[in-house]
Amino acid sequence: MSAVAASAEIHPLSVVEDGAVIGDNVRIGPFCHVGAKVVLGEGTVLISHAVVTGKTVLGRNCRIFPNAVIGGEPQSIHHNGEETTLTVGDNCTMREGVTMNCGTVEGGGKTVVGNNNLFLANSHVAHDCQLGNGIILSNNVMLAGHVKIDDRAILGGGSAVHQFTRIGRQAFIGGLSACSYDVIPYGMLNGNPGLLGGLNVVGMTRAGMDRATIHRVRKLFKALFDEEGAIREKATAAREEFADCKEAMEILDFIAAESDRALSSPFRGKA
């Protein structure tokens, strides 16, 4: 039997399968389908024609717009019907046509989305992606499998992210860009192939970063990308000079971390 809170409102033209857990003040509009292994957190709203399926947990106060499919099977030739999961945090909005897939066994079995994220129409989150908080995916953004995106990153409309790519905190990916390589925190990438054009200074300012810190991060960017030499070697050499700047060290730690992808730069992929 489903566990449906007394305060939940379910339209009679929707289907909630036995086993689903429906929290307090959830509202499910007409022509929705909620699967047997779904958990809908307090205050979440399915407006109409929305599907939440698979072993999927949605947090509090999420909003699912028409024609979104949340928790579908992974689009992977290696998936053989194993039970994997999708977990979405609080205060996330999935606009019309958004799709999010559960994980694969090979990728750890789970797709994870944090809090306060906005997914605009027809954006896609593939299997095994790991997303932080405060992220915006604009219309038609496509995330391939195993992508990792840190807090407050913004992806412009129609951009595409290659599988296993990492996007650092407060990075900005321009509209229609092809993001094939890791993007450092605060980096700004544009074009196809995507080139690292500088820092997301507007986003840094809006986040409350003071001018002195921005100048320090700019100095690091120039040292890494404007001078000759291997980026990772230069990053190692820069650690002592920038040890007093938390934001600069965040970039250096990102570069030092293991990754399946190379680093985006102003030159990589340029003809």
Side-chain angles (χ1 to χ4, degrees):
M1 293 292 291
S2 298
V4 180
S7 56
E9 299 178 14
I10 301 174
H11 195 283
L13 294 179
S14 282
V15 173
V16 176
E17 295 185 16
D18 283 348
V21 177
I22 310 299
D24 289 330
N25 300 311
V26 167
R27 289 190 290 118
I28 300 175
F31 305 108
C32 295
H33 191 141
V34 178
K37 297 179 180 179
V38 168
V39 177
L40 300 182
E42 177 184 353
T44 285
V45 176
L46 280 60
I47 292 175
S48 73
H49 296 85
V51 175
V52 185
T53 186
K55 193 171 183 181
T56 297
V57 176
L58 297 182
R60 299 189 302 269
N61 301 317
C62 292
R63 292 200 302 159
I64 317 297
F65 280 70
N67 301 313
V69 180
I70 310 302
E73 288 191 4
Q75 298 178 73
S76 169
I77 60 173
H78 304 295
H79 181 67
N80 293 309
E82 301 94 342
E83 184 173 86
T84 55
T85 66
L86 167 67
T87 302
V88 178
D90 300 335
N91 306 309
C92 289
T93 296
M94 296 78 143
R95 292 301 304 255
E96 295 81 357
V98 167
T99 50
M100 290 186 182
N101 295 162
C102 292
T104 63
V105 170
E106 293 80 7
K110 57 186 179 181
T111 303
V112 178
V113 175
N115 305 317
N116 304 307
N117 296 311
L118 174 59
F119 302 89
L120 297 186
N122 300 309
S123 55
H124 174 67
V125 178
H127 58 85
D128 305 297
C129 286
Q130 308 287 310
L131 275 59
N133 306 313
I135 294 164
I136 298 175
L137 268 57
S138 300
N139 298 64
N140 303 303
V141 168
M142 298 172 286
L143 303 185
H146 312 274
V147 167
K148 184 177 186 298
I149 303 180
D150 293 330
D151 296 352
R152 294 177 61 86
I154 297 175
L155 283 72
S159 56
V161 184
H162 192 284
Q163 60 186 6
F164 293 100
T165 296
R166 298 178 301 146
I167 297 176
R169 187 165 73 93
Q170 281 188 225
F172 182 88
I173 311 300
L176 301 178
S177 294
C179 183
S180 298
Y181 303 106
D182 292 350
V183 180
I184 61 170
Y186 313 107
M188 186 165 59
L189 181 134
N190 282 286
N192 184 1
L195 299 177
L196 190 66
L199 295 172
N200 181 19
V201 174
V202 171
M204 296 161 78
T205 303
R206 288 176 177 171
M209 193 179 298
D210 60 70
R211 182 172 296 181
T213 301
I214 292 173
H215 284 317
R216 289 281 282 158
V217 177
R218 272 180 164 163
K219 183 179 180 181
L220 173 63
F221 185 92
K222 290 178 181 294
L224 293 174
F225 297 106
D226 289 359
E227 300 175 7
E228 295 293 329
I231 293 173
R232 284 189 166 85
E233 291 179 4
K234 290 184 288 185
T236 300
R239 296 188 75 88
E240 183 175 351
E241 179 182 353
F242 291 93
D244 62 335
C245 180
K246 175 173 64 70
E247 291 78 6
M249 291 302 295
E250 184 179 355
I251 293 173
L252 296 175
D253 288 343
F254 182 92
I255 293 172
E258 290 187 11
S259 178
D260 293 289
R261 306 297 296 165
L263 282 168
S264 295
S265 78
F267 315 106
R268 187 178 301 281
K270 197 172 185 180

